[in-house]
Amino acid sequence: MTQSPKTVYLLAIESSCDDTSAAVFRNDENLANLVATQDIHRLYGGVVPEMASRAHLQNIIPVVDAAMQKAGIALDQLNAIAFTRGPGLIGSLLVGTTFAKGLALTLGLPLIEVNHMQAHVLAHFIEDPKPSFPFLCLTVSGGHTQIVLVRSYLDMEVLGNTTDDAAGEAFDKTAKILGLPYPGGPLIDKYAQLGNPKAFTFGKPKVDGLDFSFSGFKTSVLYAIQKQQKQDPEFIAHNLNDLCASIQRHIIEMLMDKLELAAKEHNIKEIAIAGGVSANSGLRKAINETGQRLGWNTYIPRFEYCTDNAAMIGITAYYKYLKGEFTTQDVSPVARYAI
Ligand code: KG4
Ligand code: ZN
């Protein structure tokens, strides 16, 4: 079938951590975005890399097939294959990269490599309303916490980074202290809605500039709880909602303080959040309230585009396709991959 040169069909694959996802795009229109999550890691209190890569191997063909079917697109209509090159778990990345390379080779198609963190930011361009350039994006996930200055689709600069744990890890590790299963972020969010955010005060590490630190906070929560348990062995059970609300308040304050500082320093009022932690209801509320106070235009992606998904890889690949940014068959994944 001959295609109008203006219509581009892209298949995008995301396999950087524990979600196997495939998306199909017609230009910048998302036709399908399917995610296979791996529940096995719940049993271990965190992602087990070896198990994640094995599960990707099992999931990748069914997920790609289902996405193509949902989009109503045949393999011979595709114009390029996109994949997450990094950052992420190397074994997980290898599955998506190798699959994309094999499919592109078989179909004689170009390959497009995508940076996972750049893709989290560009998830804002899957649907309206879209931020205008330049904007700031607070990207908060299980592996990363960054404030990114976005000058155009593919021109980004990281202004601030975590010096230790990511915000998602701060949620997950404190949840583990509370005895909650992995991933604890959504559970802290759920219980926090029933608790008093001012009930407890923990230590907040001080970091210069626009960088973040969360590991000292996690330790402060642990020590505070251990101290209370000496008087009341059931302290966590008796105070779960208040503990979750207080933990969530601290993490949000640490994020918002730096975001406010970045917005002020760079005189930018277009402010976005991205990544799994942007699903947090308290953070979404804080962004909107601070936005109203400071006259920001705020952008929060739909839930399915906050956590890991291939649609964000697809939209990034579309802009790379327009610029002719293709990758060669000798590409290999990169676990640490700067924006
Ligand atoms: O972006 P993502 O899906 O995967 C990574 O690239 O890491 O982010 C996963 C992280 C986990 O740490 C999870 O606990 C956190 O996002 N998360 C949340 C919420 N939903 C997901 N954290 C707090 N509140 C939520 N509602
Ligand atoms: Zn992610």
Side-chain angles (χ1 to χ4, degrees):
M1 186 183 122
T2 13
Q3 281 168 5
S4 133
K6 284 193 183 133
T7 306
V8 176
Y9 288 104
L10 300 170
L11 169 65
I13 291 156
E14 153 64 31
S15 74
S16 64
C17 190
D18 59 338
D19 292 320
T20 320
S21 182
V24 180
F25 272 70
R26 177 170 47 217
N27 299 332
D28 61 353
E29 183 192 353
N30 181 20
L31 301 179
N33 176 43
L34 297 185
V35 184
T37 45
Q38 305 176 2
D39 286 335
I40 182 91
H41 306 288
R42 282 175 189 272
L43 296 174
Y44 300 91
V47 176
V48 185
E50 173 71 20
M51 286 185 175
S53 44
R54 283 165 191 255
H56 281 305
L57 264 183
Q58 284 173 335
N59 291 340
I60 196 153
I61 292 177
V63 171
V64 168
D65 267 352
M68 294 295 289
Q69 265 184 38
K70 185 167 180 222
I73 297 298
L75 285 175
D76 65 3
Q77 287 178 272
L78 291 173
N79 298 91
I81 313 284
F83 65 97
T84 305
R85 187 177 177 203
L89 301 171
I90 200 73
S92 292
L93 292 165
L94 257 174
V95 177
T97 306
T98 311
F99 180 88
K101 283 165 71 169
L103 193 59
L105 192 64
T106 314
L107 299 172
L109 292 177
L111 273 171
I112 302 175
E113 65 170 73
V114 171
N115 180 305
H116 182 87
M117 299 312 294
Q118 212 169 41
H120 268 303
V121 173
L122 293 181
H124 285 281
F125 294 89
I126 300 171
E127 287 181 338
D128 287 331
K130 296 168 182 156
S132 17
F133 301 113
F135 67 93
L136 292 180
C137 186
L138 173 70
T139 313
V140 271
S141 73
H144 297 270
T145 302
Q146 298 182 332
I147 296 177
V148 185
L149 170 61
V150 190
R151 295 194 185 90
S152 67
Y153 295 114
L154 301 172
D155 179 5
M156 301 184 191
E157 184 188 340
V158 178
L159 303 176
N161 229 323
T162 181
T163 53
D164 41 56
D165 289 351
E169 271 178 294
F171 273 106
D172 296 338
K173 289 180 177 173
T174 47
K176 203 170 174 180
I177 296 171
L178 301 179
L180 300 174
Y182 175 87
L187 292 169
I188 292 204
D189 191 356
K190 184 175 143 196
Y191 296 122
Q193 291 174 36
L194 306 168
N196 171 10
K198 294 273 167 75
F200 300 103
T201 303
F202 308 110
K204 282 197 277 184
K206 296 242 178 307
V207 196
D208 287 343
L210 297 176
D211 284 337
F212 301 91
S213 167
F214 293 101
S215 83
F217 167 70
K218 175 191 64 192
T219 313
S220 159
V221 171
L222 178 68
Y223 288 168
I225 289 176
Q226 284 175 342
K227 199 172 158 199
Q228 298 283 348
Q229 280 172 327
K230 285 184 188 142
Q231 267 94 54
D232 174 9
E234 296 298 312
F235 175 74
I236 292 177
H238 292 152
N239 296 277
L240 186 62
N241 296 338
D242 286 350
L243 281 167
C244 288
S246 302
I247 288 170
Q248 181 165 300
R249 170 178 67 85
H250 282 73
I251 297 175
I252 292 171
E253 281 174 3
M254 288 187 270
L255 294 171
M256 291 305 300
D257 282 355
K258 295 295 172 115
L259 186 59
E260 244 188 90
L261 184 62
K264 201 171 151 200
E265 279 182 1
H266 291 264
N267 194 21
I268 291 180
K269 288 186 188 290
E270 291 282 300
I271 310 288
I273 54 172
V277 180
S278 60
N280 183 269
S281 60
L283 181 60
R284 292 166 97 96
K285 200 165 149 235
I287 290 271
N288 284 333
E289 283 174 1
T290 310
Q292 277 184 358
R293 180 167 53 84
L294 299 175
W296 294 348
N297 295 318
T298 53
Y299 302 88
I300 306 175
R302 194 143 53 96
F303 183 78
E304 67 172 295
Y305 301 133
C306 289
T307 48
D308 287 349
N309 67 88
M312 67 186 198
I313 307 302
I315 193 75
T316 309
Y318 174 66
Y319 295 118
K320 293 190 108 175
Y321 186 97
L322 293 182
K323 286 186 85 178
E325 288 190 19
F326 300 111
T327 309
T328 51
Q329 273 284 339
D330 59 2
V331 65
S332 52
V334 183
R336 290 175 173 271
Y337 189 17
I339 277 185

